[in-house]
Structures are given as C-alpha cells and as structure tokens.
Amino acid sequence: MDNDSAANSIKAAFNLGVWMRQNEPGKDVFDAGRSLKETIYLNLRQPEEGQYPKDVVEANVRYLTEIALLAFVMSGICSYDPDLKDKIPYLIEKKLVSGSFIDEPGDYDGTVAGKEDGEYYAKPKAVGMN
C-alpha cells in the first residue's frame, strides 16, 4: 500500500460524514448518501487512465461512502465523544488490515501501511488510490 493512504482515507471519509451532519443537518440519509458518494468520487485522487479497473475505483468509492454514512448516522444519534471519533476509524482500519493477510491475521494491531505480521494475499479495498 502507499504509506497510510487507506488509514487516511478512512479517517477522511468518517470526518466527511460528521461534517455533513453538522453543516447540512436537514439532509436525510438518502440525500446524504448521494452527496457523500459524489464528493468522495470527486475527491478521490484519480489514477492514470487504465491504472485501476473501473470496478476497483467504484469499490473504493462504495467502501468510503459506507464509512462516511456510518459517521453521518452516528453523529445524528450519538453525542460527540472525541475518543469515539478516533476509535471508530481505527477499528475500521483494523478490520480492513486483519482481512488482508494470508497467515493468522488474529488481532492485528499495526497500521495499514505495515506488513510486519504477514503477507498481503489481496489488495485491500482502498489500496493506493487516495
């Protein structure tokens, strides 16, 4: 993976969902989903033509939109807690990484960029595009 691109993308998507709730509180979840998807797609650093298949780009957009929608919904029904705001992206990152190793992922506790505990068997959903 490119440095911490997935970790940064997860945090950015989560923060985008919180921002949308704070700045556009009248939006329902469906309108928010459409807006978030469009914003994420436009802000995704577009690779050179053909570098990634279209379905990979779309999968990244869908995945990050789900994270942003989670934040949008959570911030509408929960009170603000800075510890939780930092913990949720970490847990999302941990799940992404734990499913990306061949050998015993277990309770992987590293960063997305690291490969210390195993070798990747597949590219994680947000690989190097953001």
Side-chain angles (χ1 to χ4, degrees):
M1 295 193 75
D2 293 357
N3 298 324
D4 291 319
S5 65
N8 291 333
S9 296
I10 289 167
K11 290 175 187 169
F14 192 84
N15 289 334
L16 178 63
V18 172
W19 177 89
M20 183 165 284
R21 172 65 73 181
Q22 293 170 344
N23 291 287
E24 300 186 34
K27 282 196 177 209
D28 65 28
V29 72
F30 302 106
D31 290 335
R34 284 187 286 276
S35 294
L36 289 166
K37 182 178 180 181
E38 181 179 324
T39 301
I40 289 168
Y41 182 78
L42 293 174
N43 285 305
L44 196 71
R45 186 172 54 210
Q46 297 298 312
E48 291 182 27
E49 186 69 31
Q51 185 177 359
Y52 296 104
K54 185 177 180 180
D55 61 333
V56 172
V57 174
E58 290 173 1
N60 276 268
V61 171
R62 278 193 308 274
Y63 181 68
L64 294 172
T65 300
E66 289 174 359
I67 293 168
L69 271 172
L70 171 68
F72 179 82
V73 170
M74 283 184 66
S75 61
I77 60 174
C78 299
S79 61
Y80 178 77
D81 181 344
D83 294 333
L84 184 63
K85 184 177 178 275
D86 293 335
K87 185 72 172 182
I88 296 296
Y90 166 77
L91 293 172
I92 294 168
E93 175 188 353
K94 187 174 178 178
K95 179 168 177 63
L96 175 68
V97 172
S98 70
S100 301
F101 290 92
I102 294 173
D103 55 341
E104 300 301 319
D107 250 353
Y108 181 75
D109 201 25
T111 61
V112 170
K115 293 197 315 185
E116 299 84 28
D117 293 334
E119 291 297 321
Y120 292 114
Y121 70 87
K123 291 182 180 180
K125 295 177 184 175
V127 63
M129 292 183 59
N130 312 344

